Amino acid sequence: MQVTTVGLDLAKNVFQVHGITSAGTVAFNRSLRRAQMLRFFERLEPCVVGMEACSTSHHWARELTRLGHQVRLIPPSYVKPYVKRGKSDAADAEAICEAVTRPTMRFVEVKSREQQAILSLHRARDLIVRQRTQTINMLRGLLAEFGIVLPKGVGHAIRFARHGSSQASTALPEDAHGVIDDLCDALVALHVRVASYGRQIAALAKHDPNIARLQTIPGVGPITASAIAATIGSAHQFRSGRDLAAWLGLTPLNRSSGGKERLGRVSKMGDRYIRRLLVVGMTSRIKQIKRRPEAYDPWFSSILDRKPAKLAAVAMANKTARIVWAVLSRGENYRLRAT
């Protein structure tokens, strides 16, 4: 009996595989060690392999695709309804095998090594940015205890760390000097690392046509563009711009019932990193629109007149996500629509 579909439950060292035939009978449900994985799938005839889109899933998807299998990655939340009573690796593998055969199932596009290299820069940069923010908050809180108040903004904290700490030392007790100096040194080092990652991302952005196209969209810079291109690729897995906006969590929750339409706040159910980048980009653009409203699409001025700035930024991010889908799916640069 030839196996047609395999559900693969990933792990660090022990993997579970569940295979079925074209007749729907179970061919095997067994565990494999990491060293056995590729040998096992080399012996199988090409078939459909389903996996949850989780850590290491893109690596194994590339490896199994190289062996001739058709690999499909499923969001973990879409697999959960197919898990029967109880929780085990065998039950999870069976649920994945069932979910991958559903005609309406949605899948995640397999990322290339180059895409994951760009995302590794983004993940590391995001970590360093959060550590920098924590260090600034700690430094600001400790200084406030001695009557030294830093103005808001990263720039003011960096300038203090580089030049102001020596001047403020006279206002600090001797035991506090070392702590403040250590925090200032750590803050400067983190800031340098953030700038270094930003330069690496900008350099990579120059060689990718999709990133270059995305940067033609107003409010989308090299960091946002590279994160989007590395995460969603060509965007062909989305049927429309609204599907992409919904995947990013920028569309309102729909709780309609009984013929009455009820739309709530945005779902925030998708990729929070890209969503945050888009909203921050639109927040910066709002400042430009307020200074020169006549130079921009009247839609933006209209929504700013009707809604608070933060809510308008989310609405603008929603619209920008739809533009992103059009640019990627059509392979064309953004063109401002004539009014």
Side-chain angles (χ1 to χ4, degrees), residues 242 251-269:
R242 190 193 182 284
T251 54
L253 288 170
N254 193 332
R255 302 187 184 280
S256 303
S257 179
K260 295 181 180 180
E261 186 173 358
R262 297 184 180 90
L263 299 180
R265 60 175 179 82
V266 293
S267 66
K268 297 184 181 180
M269 293 294 291

Side-chain angles (χ1 to χ4, degrees), residues 8 38 41 49 60-69 71:
L8 174 59
L38 292 180
F41 281 97
V49 180
W60 288 114
R62 292 191 297 268
E63 292 295 317
L64 298 185
T65 299
R66 184 173 53 82
L67 297 177
H69 299 288
V71 181

Side-chain angles (χ1 to χ4, degrees), residues 264-330:
R265 60 175 179 82
V266 293
S267 66
K268 297 184 181 180
M269 293 294 291
D271 190 306
R272 66 176 63 185
Y273 179 66
I274 295 178
R275 182 173 64 248
R276 184 172 72 246
L277 290 176
L278 286 175
V279 172
V280 169
M282 293 305 107
T283 302
S284 176
R285 198 166 180 230
I286 284 175
K287 298 178 181 178
Q288 302 171 3
I289 295 172
K290 287 183 176 179
R291 285 196 296 264
R292 295 182 55 202
E294 70 282 353
Y296 295 90
D297 189 331
W299 182 86
F300 295 113
S301 298
S302 173
I303 197 167
L304 283 173
D305 291 338
R306 294 181 286 111
K307 302 293 183 181
K310 289 185 178 181
L311 197 152
V314 175
M316 292 166 63
N318 186 342
K319 184 171 183 177
T320 302
R322 299 168 191 245
I323 297 173
V324 163
W325 176 84
V327 167
L328 289 177
S329 61
R330 297 171 187 172

